[in-house]
Amino acid sequence: QVQLVESGGGLVQAGGSLRLSCAASVRTFSSYTMGWFRQAPGKEREYVARISRSGGLTYYADSLKGRFTISKDNAKNTVYLQMNSLKPEDTAVYYCAASSRGTVGATTRVGEYDYWGQGTQVTVSS
């Protein structure tokens, strides 16, 4: 049914930028709220950002606002995460997630999302 594949991760120096992509194999991409989460070794998966089904609304974790930007292209069934001014503490596996609920029902919790990608590694060196 719903399959999500992340890409774009890699090694980058502190202060650099990286753009992640998530390709969704779904019949109606615009029917899903899309989110980004990340997980560092030994830590819980944490919320990064999300975008509404229409693409008109975006939300971010308070600590990341201003550095990260989420966007999507419905024609390509792809959601993006632009990451700027990267810090070593941003190092983690980044996951794409999808929810059939709107941004009121799909917020910052892992359990509010129905589908997940395999993750892509982002490593920021100092």
Side-chain angles (χ1 to χ4, degrees):
Q1 40 182 348
V2 178
Q3 293 184 336
L4 307 174
V5 180
E6 302 95 333
S7 62
L11 177 64
V12 64
Q13 293 185 25
S17 299
L18 211 57
R19 193 186 200 196
L20 306 183
S21 297
C22 173
S25 296
V26 295
R27 296 183 67 83
T28 310
F29 183 63
S30 60
S31 295
Y32 298 88
T33 294
M34 302 299 297
W36 284 98
F37 289 74
R38 67 185 185 182
Q39 186 169 25
K43 298 181 180 179
E44 294 185 352
R45 192 168 299 187
E46 66 175 356
Y47 168 78
V48 173
R50 69 188 190 276
I51 188 167
S52 64
R53 290 172 289 192
S54 68
L57 300 173
T58 58
Y59 306 86
Y60 303 88
D62 289 340
S63 62
L64 302 176
K65 190 176 297 182
R67 294 171 54 224
F68 288 14
T69 303
I70 188 171
S71 63
K72 69 173 182 175
D73 186 338
N74 285 337
K76 296 182 178 180
N77 281 17
T78 301
V79 62
Y80 307 94
L81 183 68
Q82 178 67 46
M83 305 184 293
N84 299 324
S85 301
L86 286 164
K87 306 173 181 179
E89 47 263 47
D90 293 321
T91 295
V93 175
Y94 284 71
Y95 296 90
C96 178
S99 176
S100 60
R101 291 173 285 184
T103 53
V104 173
T107 58
T108 65
R109 302 186 65 177
V110 170
E112 295 168 339
Y113 294 78
D114 307 302
Y115 309 100
W116 296 84
Q118 83 291 344
T120 185
Q121 178 70 48
V122 172
T123 302
V124 184
S125 62
S126 60

